[in-house]
Amino acid sequence: LSNPDGNRRRRAQAAPATRRYMQEYLGAPLEDAEDALWETELLANIQVDADDLPKMDRLIIAIDPALTTDKKADETGIILGGVHKDRKKRLTTAYVLGDFSCHEKPLTWARRVAELAVKLRVREIVYERNIAGPLIEDILRKTLKEHAPGVKLHAVTVNKSKMHRAEPVSSLYYAGRVRHCHGFIDGMDLHALEEQMVTWSPSGTSGKSPDRIDALVHFVDRALVRTGGLSAMAPDRISW
């Protein structure tokens, strides 16, 4: 489903409405990375108003833990998403609903995640365990047991590059299977996530690691890819 040449042509022919979206939602015009897996025109066309959201069948929190809380280090990517199944059309769509990414200690963001899970009745949390390992898993398990019992914790082991994991998720965006909603959580938007999506270069020229994108990929993988029998990652282990 990936079509780099087509993507470049669409970027070159971006409509004025796309530029208005860039200014209104992202604050200032941005240049999409030449090899970006997402483009601003796409993001402009997948927006859904909070009042128009269908009822979610599942809510999922996806986490990409950071190693340190140093200001120069990556953030811990935390994405809230929902899944809606249109049974008449036999179509499942993923909705990105919130971005809680932060520079916080593991115990701090783990408590925030648990509180969010309780408030919104989230029943699934997925996180990447490659870097964080048993320490983060132990913190998450204990925090959930204390504050949000009953939430399933899925640990994902990554064995492919960021690009190879993100490509199938990008394809699902272009297939119309993922939508974005600003304002699902009062006062929260997806600006930082969307900026990272259009400026991250899989070839490495953009420099910074895509922490928010990593969490986004875990959400979409959990919501759509795995349910379709395909996965960009290793089989997960349910640890809670």
Side-chain angles (χ1 to χ4, degrees), residues 19-180:
R19 301 301 150 191
R20 288 198 296 272
Y21 172 80
M22 292 170 72
Q23 293 177 347
E24 180 179 353
Y25 286 92
L26 301 185
L30 292 170
E31 287 294 329
D32 293 2
E34 181 65 20
D35 57 346
L37 296 179
W38 295 268
E39 55 189 9
T40 304
E41 185 178 7
L42 167 71
L43 298 184
N45 291 326
I46 63 168
Q47 303 298 319
V48 179
D49 190 87
D51 294 333
D52 297 327
L53 276 177
K55 183 178 180 181
M56 296 296 119
D57 294 284
R58 299 157 58 201
L59 289 176
I60 301 169
I61 296 174
I63 307 169
D64 177 54
L67 273 177
T68 70
T69 57
D70 186 277
K71 290 184 178 180
K72 294 182 179 181
D74 296 338
E75 291 184 286
T76 289
I78 303 174
I79 297 296
L80 168 69
V83 182
H84 172 70
K85 294 182 179 180
D86 188 325
R87 288 166 176 79
K88 290 183 178 180
K89 296 181 179 180
R90 296 184 178 181
L91 183 68
T92 301
T93 304
Y95 290 82
V96 181
L97 304 174
D99 179 3
F100 295 83
S101 304
C102 60
H103 274 119
E104 300 285 358
K105 295 179 180 179
L107 185 58
T108 301
W109 60 251
R111 286 175 175 169
R112 185 177 302 170
V113 165
E115 292 171 0
L116 182 65
V118 171
K119 182 177 181 179
L120 298 180
R121 298 181 181 179
V122 175
R123 289 293 175 260
E124 298 177 67
I125 294 175
V126 56
Y127 78 100
E128 183 178 321
R129 76 184 308 270
N130 286 52
I131 295 178
L135 175 62
I136 295 298
E137 181 177 349
D138 186 58
I139 290 174
L140 275 170
R141 183 188 292 116
K142 289 180 178 178
T143 303
L144 291 176
K145 185 175 182 180
E146 180 179 356
H147 300 284
V151 176
K152 290 184 178 180
L153 183 62
H154 303 275
V156 173
T157 300
V158 171
N159 59 10
K160 293 186 178 181
S161 70
K162 292 178 184 291
M163 181 182 72
H164 284 94
R165 286 182 280 123
E167 280 181 328
V169 171
S170 170
S171 295
L172 286 166
Y173 269 81
Y174 283 100
R177 301 289 299 281
V178 187
R179 309 293 295 274
H180 283 197

Side-chain angles (χ1 to χ4, degrees), residues 189-206:
D189 57 57
L190 304 173
H191 299 168
L193 169 65
E194 292 178 344
E195 178 177 346
Q196 192 174 88
M197 291 171 72
V198 300
T199 59
W200 175 57
S201 169
S203 62
T205 57
S206 60

